[in-house]
Amino acid sequence: MKPKVVVYKKVDKKVLEFLQNTLDVTYFEDLDPQTYPIFREKLKTAEGILGAGLKVDKGLLDQAPHLKIVCNTSVGYDNLDLAAMTERKVMATNTPGVLNDTVADAIFGLLLSTARRIPELDHQVKIGQWGTIPDEEWYGVDVHHKVLGIVGMGGIGADIAKRAHYGFDMKILYHNRSHNKEAEQKYQATYCSLEELLQQSDFVCLMTPLTPETEKMFGKREFALMKKTAIFINGSRGKTVDEQALIQALQTGEILAAGLDVFVQEPVQKDNPLLNMNNVVTLPHIGSATNETRIKMAMLAAENLVAGLRGETPPNLLG
Ligand code: 8YV
């Protein structure tokens, strides 16, 4: 009998077929109030789960007594309680590497859009304001030759540094748990304390994973340390930032602008003050979302799932 698994996020047909070759797959394109009760029922017999964002904690593990492996179709795994999973010998995997370039492209897009006010100006042109507003009011700030501070210099951070170095002649500062020799050698990135980075950077790009240590890593103090002309980019998780402090820093002019792919609550609440600010550019947590990359991520997660249930060590085993 094939092991039973649950896929709870939409995956490409090829990925689904690959899984179905060796596994008994229950497939949900997404979980919503209608599908969730069926999903919970399926958990009772599932040996594996594949998808992104589902909170896997003690409560869920209690409902899934046969579970052996949880495969995230994401590099981040803040949705997984690894300690609880290890205790029950449930494996966890993620999808590092395959999304680095795609996320770096998106983050750079966000950075350029915020600095040059692209979404705001696009809107002005489309509502017929071209010619009615003095040009200077539409000016942005330069990106090239500026100082980019990257907080969290993993694979994605390094690919952002690569673009900044080769494409925009930027000076790169970074702060990370450990030194990234490759980024230092290839992109002339300089390691520094968080304080120094905040004080010296024109653009501060937050890319760190969400962990108990990085939760609300950016608050009142961090925004106060930044230049008044600084632009803040968040491509990590919403909860790495104290959102109220960010709102205040933007409202009081403590920083110039922000480009945000992530929010404390997702989808973002309609009444979030960040949505009413012209100096904030938003994206719906879409850094890795291109067709090509999402297929690669889902396939990698699927390979992890198949390997894990075959009794092999999954290629991206966490913990
Ligand atoms: C999405 C990400 O969260 O990989 C991550 O950690 O943040 C993104 O790729 C993920 O794919 C779920 O949509």
Side-chain angles (χ1 to χ4, degrees), residues 59-288:
L60 184 130
L61 294 170
D62 284 343
Q63 296 169 43
H66 301 284
L67 200 60
K68 292 188 179 136
I69 182 164
V70 177
C71 299
N72 265 8
T73 53
S74 62
V75 66
Y77 50 90
D78 45 283
N79 61 316
L80 308 177
D81 181 342
L82 285 190
M85 292 176 68
T86 309
E87 205 174 287
R88 292 171 204 219
K89 297 194 167 50
V90 177
M91 292 179 280
T93 67
N94 68 340
T95 59
V98 291
L99 74 175
N100 291 358
D101 274 312
T102 301
V103 176
D105 282 352
I107 297 303
F108 233 92
L110 199 49
L111 193 151
L112 288 165
S113 303
T114 312
R116 300 301 302 271
R117 304 166 57 185
I118 290 171
E120 186 191 348
L121 299 187
D122 169 70
H123 178 69
Q124 293 298 332
V125 173
K126 287 176 181 165
I127 62 168
Q129 291 291 75
W130 190 357
T132 67
I133 294 175
D135 281 355
E136 302 84 68
E137 284 190 33
W138 288 3
Y139 288 177
V141 296
D142 276 334
V143 172
H144 65 89
H145 295 95
K146 292 283 182 71
V147 179
L148 170 63
I150 302 176
V151 180
M153 186 63 99
I156 299 173
D159 276 338
I160 295 170
K162 184 192 209 170
R163 283 154 177 75
H165 175 68
Y166 287 119
F168 295 85
D169 290 309
M170 295 177 93
K171 176 178 168 190
I172 298 149
L173 302 177
Y174 80 99
H175 183 72
N176 200 40
R177 272 173 308 179
S178 53
H179 283 249
N180 186 327
K181 292 282 169 216
E182 204 184 330
E184 290 181 8
Q185 279 154 17
K186 286 191 181 163
Y187 317 128
Q188 285 159 37
T190 306
Y191 183 90
C192 64
S193 70
L194 182 60
E195 288 71 20
E196 278 177 288
L197 182 149
L198 295 172
Q199 284 164 345
Q200 293 175 26
S201 298
D202 299 303
F203 296 88
V204 175
C205 185
L206 183 56
M207 297 308 299
T208 183
L210 174 64
T211 65
E213 292 76 44
T214 63
E215 188 162 352
K216 292 200 177 167
M217 183 181 190
F218 271 60
K220 218 170 153 35
R221 174 182 163 271
E222 286 67 31
F223 293 117
L225 281 170
M226 285 164 64
K227 293 181 182 180
K228 288 210 177 335
T229 50
I231 291 182
F232 174 66
I233 305 292
N234 191 3
S236 64
R237 289 289 184 268
K239 287 183 181 157
T240 51
V241 171
D242 175 345
E243 214 165 73
Q244 287 313 315
L246 172 62
I247 291 168
Q248 216 179 356
L250 287 160
Q251 278 169 344
T252 58
E254 210 152 29
I255 62 170
L256 182 68
L260 307 170
D261 185 35
V262 289
F263 297 84
V264 169
Q265 191 179 313
E266 295 179 2
V268 66
Q269 303 115 291
K270 290 197 179 84
D271 61 353
N272 188 320
L274 291 167
L275 305 189
N276 287 322
M277 299 182 187
N278 279 341
N279 54 345
V280 174
V281 177
T282 61
L283 285 176
H285 195 154
I286 208 140
S288 66

